[in-house]
Amino acid sequence: MSDSEMSEFASIVERIERGEVPMKSIERELICPICKELFTQPLILPCQHSVCHRCVKDLLLPNHEDSFSTDAGSEGSNPGSPRSRVPSPSTERLDRLVRSGSVSSPGWRRSSVTPRITTFPCPGCQHDIDLGERGISMLFRNFTLESIVERYRQAARAAVAIMCSVCKPPQHEATKSCMDCRTSYCNECFKLNHPWGTPRAQHEYVGPTTNFRPKVLMCPEHEMEKVNMYCEVCRRPVCHLCKLGGSHANHRVTSMSSAYKILKEKLAKSIHYLISKEDQVRTQISDLEVMINHTEENGQLAERRANEHFERLFETLQERRTEMLRCVEQARTLRVDRLRAQVDEYQGMLENSGLVGYAQEVLKETDQSCFVQTAKLLHIRIQKATESLKTFQASATPSFEEFVLDTSKEEILLKELSFGGVPDPPVIDLSRCRVYNEGLIHWRVSEDSLPTDHHVLEFRRVCEDEDDEEAHWRATECVYGSNTVVSDLALDCRYAFRVKSFRNSVCSPYSPEVTFHTPPAPVFGFLFNEKCGFSAERLTLSKRRDSVESVAGLSFLLSAERVQTGSYICLDYIIGDTGISQGRHYWAFRVDPDSYMVKVGVASDCKLSEWFHNPRDSSSPRYDHDSGHDSGSEDACFEVSQPFTLLTVGMGRLFIPKASLGAGDAGRVLPAPHRIGVLLDYEAGRVFFYDADSMRCVYERAVDCSGTMFPAFGLLGGGSVHLEEFLTAKRLSYM
């Protein structure tokens, strides 16, 4: 730091030490996150957050009387203090307490308590805190925080003086507090109790206070030892016994003075940075206040719009209700009228009433012409009444089934309306995605996210020309799972992908964009060939023939025992079940990082015949021109185009052939890619090896493509090769 920065740093330290920080402004930092009151006897948790001692006791022993000795005069010991009425932890919080022990004593002592529950969630960060068998006794009291709280309390009650604890009534105001006697004195009483020439004269005294803390911090695990070191792993003070044979024996520790200097300097620098950014903080506070105002306004606007929407719904429902009730009333009146008319008609069929009575009177007519004139119409009416009697049918139905509404679908829609909560944005899972000329994209949502209905994946081609149609975002159809396939991707291009979730009509923000590079050639799908050169004794093939593993069995040991000199242990070769005779083709695979040695590449059918019929010499490490070993043979023949090219991968590394780099071995050994891609250009006679994740070419070489070329793999010792799942799935779909 410069001289000016050093002087400013020193002034900040002095201000902190003199206590010139306004106490009222730091009140929020002095509140316990459990009881929401000022800290009383705060304890430091392993996660570095602090909580009141009584609150921890209430979490671990909810109905247990706390007999921990409190300091004289502290508010925690006052039964009338609000602090003494700590609320019990919620049931939800207690449900998270999973570990339990046994209580060895009803009182709390540093060496005897083993709480029944020793794990609880930190109220600040929600991480589970495991106190182990020692329970609370393993925690340090935060004396620094305790002193700051006491200074805050004194500043809050500055008008109330601390009285001398020794004076007889009337008591005088205290002027000093002895940290050894843990008592406050006036001047006269202090002189009487600390005479010159006595050991008491050497006691440490401070200004009047009610907070008496120990002069030396003792180790909670070794109670007779002072802490004199700082564990950088656990971030807590320890004693020398903790380092020698305790729980911190293998941890990195530093001296307390060094930790004090470093942490104090870091803290002061951080404070200096915050002070220097005061204008920026004030600007951001102003921006936040503007956002608060906008939030209030937008919230009120949303309330008005919601009321309007529901009012319209209520009006529509009321209109339909009125219309339906009117139709029901009309139908009821019409049907009742018809039925009553039918009742009247049937009443007329009774004797001496209605139609029958009238007919009986007509029969009394003796004048023939008059009788015929009246009887004709009467006979027609009686015939109709007779027919209706034989085929009785009501003139109207009493059922109103046509007016019964099925509103179950509408009720479901109304219940599924989402008014609050936006789903969390999903995250694209890079480890499971595969992008070739088709892309298999996986994503995941957080466990605590709101449930979703479907997802929409969007993708675009990354190119410099933003006006290109391919550069615009394109969306897939609704996806109801956690993955989808994108087709018709261009070769050797970069594509960006993003996805969002939907919950009813509410959608989440987009996931972070991820970019994939498509391979420079069409995908070549194949499986391992179990019939050509495959050694079942030393190679294990999966049922799907998409993975092969080298196993060092008994035959391997017997062959090694017969060889007394030299190193002619054979490589076990396996090839793909499909050959290449034209075009450009790309495939990818994964070599297990624990593999000892795996050779990957291409080989022609003639070379494969030579390997499989004379395996001993051809598989010698000194024979392969491209073996990756320092045999020197590959240097002499590097410029010669061979009918095979194999690259060596093993022990987490990839070996570039020595001659391809010129003089020196710099850059010859590279970290093995997680996924390896191979591109064969048959017409050009070249093979390329890629880091399949970044599509970066790590090596290329000419190859003699005079025959049919096959993907080839050679394994020595323990190792395994796994073909890409997306490639093998396509291959298996045609079988």
Side-chain angles (χ1 to χ4, degrees):
M1 292 189 297
S2 63
D3 294 340
S4 61
E5 291 176 335
M6 284 294 293
S7 60
E8 190 171 358
F9 171 76
S11 66
I12 293 174
V13 174
E14 291 176 1
R15 285 185 60 202
I16 296 172
E17 292 177 344
R18 291 197 303 269
E20 295 179 1
V21 179
M23 299 303 296
K24 186 65 178 176
S25 62
I26 64 174
E27 179 179 358
R28 61 184 298 175
E29 301 296 332
L30 309 180
I31 301 298
C32 173
I34 297 179
C35 63
K36 306 302 181 184
E37 298 184 21
L38 291 176
F39 283 107
T40 299
Q41 299 171 358
L43 302 178
I44 303 178
L45 301 177
C47 60
Q48 304 303 303
H49 291 105
S50 295
V51 293
C52 295
H53 164 261
R54 184 182 294 273
C55 294
V56 177
K57 292 283 287 183
D58 287 341
L59 281 177
L60 301 182
L61 304 172
N63 299 317
H64 183 61
E65 183 68 23
D66 181 15
S67 60
F68 178 70
S69 59
T70 56
D71 296 327
S74 67
E75 290 191 16
S77 62
N78 181 7
S81 169
R83 178 62 189 85
S84 64
R85 301 189 297 272
V86 179
S88 297
S90 64
T91 303
E92 180 181 357
R93 183 176 298 279
L94 289 177
D95 287 343
R96 295 190 56 194
L97 310 179
V98 292
R99 287 190 52 187
S100 62
S102 62
V103 180
S104 60
S105 172
W108 190 91
R109 295 195 302 272
R110 273 181 126 20
S111 61
S112 63
V113 149
T114 304
R116 189 185 321 156
I117 300 172
T118 60
T119 299
F120 65 95
C122 170
C125 61
Q126 297 303 313
H127 288 128
D128 285 339
I129 304 300
D130 188 357
L131 299 182
E133 296 181 355
R134 293 182 58 84
I136 301 177
S137 61
M138 71 165 288
L139 300 177
F140 282 106
R141 280 178 66 177
N142 193 340
F143 290 112
T144 301
L145 177 58
E146 201 167 334
S147 299
I148 296 174
V149 171
E150 180 59 28
R151 291 205 300 269
Y152 175 83
R153 283 184 172 134
Q154 291 180 5
R157 61 182 182 226
V160 180
I162 298 176
M163 307 307 293
C164 177
S165 303
V166 181
C167 284
K168 295 181 179 180
Q171 292 177 313
H172 294 84
E173 185 177 342
T175 58
K176 298 179 179 67
S177 293
C178 179
M179 301 303 292
D180 295 272
C181 300
R182 304 171 69 85
T183 308
S184 298
Y185 300 93
C186 64
N187 283 332
E188 294 300 326
C189 292
F190 185 81
K191 292 177 182 179
L192 290 174
N193 287 273
H194 299 78
W196 289 103
T198 64
R200 294 175 69 90
Q202 305 299 321
H203 286 188
E204 178 186 358
Y205 63 91
V206 295
T209 183
T210 59
N211 180 36
F212 300 98
R213 70 181 189 182
K215 298 178 64 176
V216 179
L217 195 61
M218 307 301 290
C219 177
E221 297 187 23
H222 309 94
E223 297 181 1
M224 303 303 296
E225 299 294 331
K226 302 176 183 178
V227 294
N228 54 7
M229 292 180 286
Y230 182 78
C231 177
E232 296 183 356
V233 177
C234 301
R235 297 184 297 174
R236 60 177 295 171
V238 297
C239 69
H240 69 285
L241 293 181
C242 293
K243 176 59 179 173
L244 289 177
S247 57
H248 306 269
N250 298 322
H251 294 180
R252 181 179 177 182
V253 298
T254 184
S255 65
M256 190 63 69
S257 59
S258 176
Y260 170 81
K261 181 179 179 181
I262 293 173
L263 291 175
K264 193 166 188 176
E265 183 176 350
K266 286 182 178 180
L267 181 59
K269 283 183 178 179
S270 300
I271 295 173
H272 169 67
Y273 175 81
L274 291 177
I275 293 175
S276 65
K277 298 294 183 180
E278 186 171 347
D279 293 339
Q280 180 180 347
V281 173
R282 293 185 183 278
T283 301
Q284 292 175 351
I285 291 175
S286 300
D287 295 340
L288 290 174
E289 290 176 346
V290 172
M291 292 180 64
I292 291 174
N293 294 332
H294 288 168
T295 303
E296 292 284 351
E297 295 173 357
N298 293 337
Q300 294 174 0
L301 178 61
E303 289 179 0
R304 290 196 300 270
R305 290 178 176 175
N307 284 327
E308 293 174 358
H309 286 302
F310 278 99
E311 287 295 335
R312 286 198 294 269
L313 286 176
F314 294 153
E315 291 176 0
T316 302
L317 287 174
Q318 187 63 33
E319 290 176 359
R320 303 312 301 158
R321 175 176 177 272
T322 303
E323 177 65 20
M324 182 175 179
L325 293 178
R326 186 184 63 80
C327 292
V328 171
E329 179 63 23
Q330 288 180 350
R332 182 184 64 81
T333 302
L334 179 61
R335 294 179 187 183
V336 169
D337 291 343
R338 288 180 177 177
L339 290 172
R340 284 180 175 172
Q342 190 173 12
V343 169
D344 293 339
E345 182 180 351
Y346 275 69
Q347 286 285 352
M349 297 182 189
L350 298 178
E351 185 178 1
N352 301 322
S353 65
L355 181 62
V356 175
Y358 174 67
Q360 289 175 344
E361 293 298 325
V362 171
L363 288 174
K364 296 179 181 180
E365 178 63 48
T366 58
D367 189 314
Q368 294 181 353
S369 58
C370 291
F371 177 81
V372 172
Q373 180 183 12
T374 305
K376 181 61 176 177
L377 179 60
L378 181 60
H379 185 256
I380 293 174
R381 291 178 59 192
I382 289 183
Q383 280 184 333
K384 288 182 178 180
T386 303
E387 291 176 0
S388 65
L389 185 62
K390 294 178 180 179
T391 59
F392 175 77
Q393 185 176 2
S395 60
T397 176
S399 174
F400 283 76
E401 292 182 355
E402 65 269 29
F403 294 102
V404 176
L405 297 180
D406 181 10
T407 59
S408 57
K409 295 182 179 179
E410 290 75 9
E411 290 176 4
I412 293 174
L413 290 176
L414 289 174
K415 290 178 180 179
E416 290 181 348
L417 285 177
S418 176
F419 306 120
V422 178
D424 294 336
V427 177
I428 295 179
D429 191 348
L430 298 178
S431 63
R432 303 180 63 189
C433 294
R434 299 290 181 266
V435 175
Y436 304 102
N437 44 331
E438 292 183 347
L440 176 62
I441 307 299
H442 284 262
W443 57 86
R444 61 179 184 273
V445 295
S446 60
E447 295 180 356
D448 55 351
S449 176
L450 294 172
T452 58
D453 298 330
H454 61 274
H455 310 272
V456 172
L457 176 71
E458 297 184 1
F459 64 98
R460 68 179 180 89
R461 182 174 174 179
V462 179
C463 53
E464 297 180 357
D465 186 6
E466 296 183 355
D467 295 332
D468 189 346
E469 183 178 354
E470 293 288 328
H472 299 160
W473 286 103
R474 291 178 287 171
T476 63
E477 296 181 354
C478 295
V479 181
Y480 297 94
S482 60
N483 63 82
T484 188
V485 175
V486 180
S487 304
D488 300 327
L489 300 179
L491 297 176
D492 200 13
C493 294
R494 294 173 61 242
Y495 282 87
F497 296 85
R498 65 185 185 185
V499 64
K500 61 181 178 181
S501 303
F502 284 83
R503 182 171 181 255
N504 297 323
S505 58
V506 180
C507 68
S508 72
Y510 283 105
S511 67
E513 290 184 24
V514 297
T515 304
F516 293 99
H517 198 139
T518 57
V523 172
F524 179 64
F526 65 92
L527 298 173
F528 288 117
N529 193 333
E530 60 182 346
K531 299 179 180 179
C532 182
F534 171 69
S535 173
E537 294 182 353
R538 295 185 297 272
L539 294 181
T540 301
L541 199 59
S542 65
K543 292 182 179 180
R544 288 163 49 96
R545 295 194 289 121
D546 59 349
S547 296
V548 63
E549 181 180 4
S550 174
V551 181
L554 181 62
S555 60
F556 187 88
L557 296 177
L558 292 175
S559 62
E561 193 220 353
R562 289 194 294 267
V563 178
Q564 301 299 326
T565 60
S567 177
Y568 290 92
I569 299 176
C570 297
L571 280 170
D572 294 306
Y573 287 97
I574 189 169
I575 63 173
D577 60 355
T578 305
I580 300 172
S581 57
Q582 63 178 356
R584 289 162 51 90
H585 301 275
Y586 174 89
W587 61 94
F589 51 88
R590 180 173 58 86
V591 176
D592 192 275
D594 296 329
S595 300
Y596 175 66
M597 189 176 83
V598 177
K599 301 172 80 64
V600 299
V602 296
S604 67
D605 50 0
C606 61
K607 188 64 178 180
L608 292 173
S609 177
E610 178 184 346
W611 281 345
F612 295 146
H613 287 85
N614 187 18
R616 179 185 176 189
D617 294 335
S618 64
S619 60
S620 167
R622 301 186 60 86
Y623 180 86
D624 290 340
H625 300 298
D626 212 10
S627 65
H629 293 71
D630 290 329
S631 62
S633 60
E634 66 264 37
D635 298 341
C637 303
F638 179 76
E639 297 299 333
V640 179
S641 179
Q642 300 291 323
F644 71 98
T645 293
L646 296 175
L647 206 60
T648 303
V649 182
M651 302 179 67
R653 291 173 174 81
L654 184 145
F655 299 88
I656 302 298
K658 182 177 180 180
S660 64
L661 298 175
D665 291 341
R668 182 184 177 195
V669 180
L670 304 176
H674 177 66
R675 296 162 52 232
I676 299 175
V678 179
L679 168 65
L680 176 64
D681 190 335
Y682 192 90
E683 281 74 18
R686 297 195 70 83
V687 61
F688 304 82
F689 295 86
Y690 290 87
D691 179 344
D693 289 328
S694 62
M695 290 309 299
R696 177 178 61 90
C697 182
V698 296
Y699 177 63
E700 66 171 296
R701 181 179 173 179
V703 63
D704 181 9
C705 296
S706 56
T708 301
M709 307 298 291
F710 291 85
F713 304 85
L715 296 90
L716 175 64
S720 59
V721 179
H722 310 275
L723 299 180
E724 284 289 325
E725 179 182 358
F726 195 56
L727 300 178
T728 56
K730 293 183 62 178
R731 174 66 175 167
L732 288 170
S733 64
Y734 295 104
M735 297 181 63

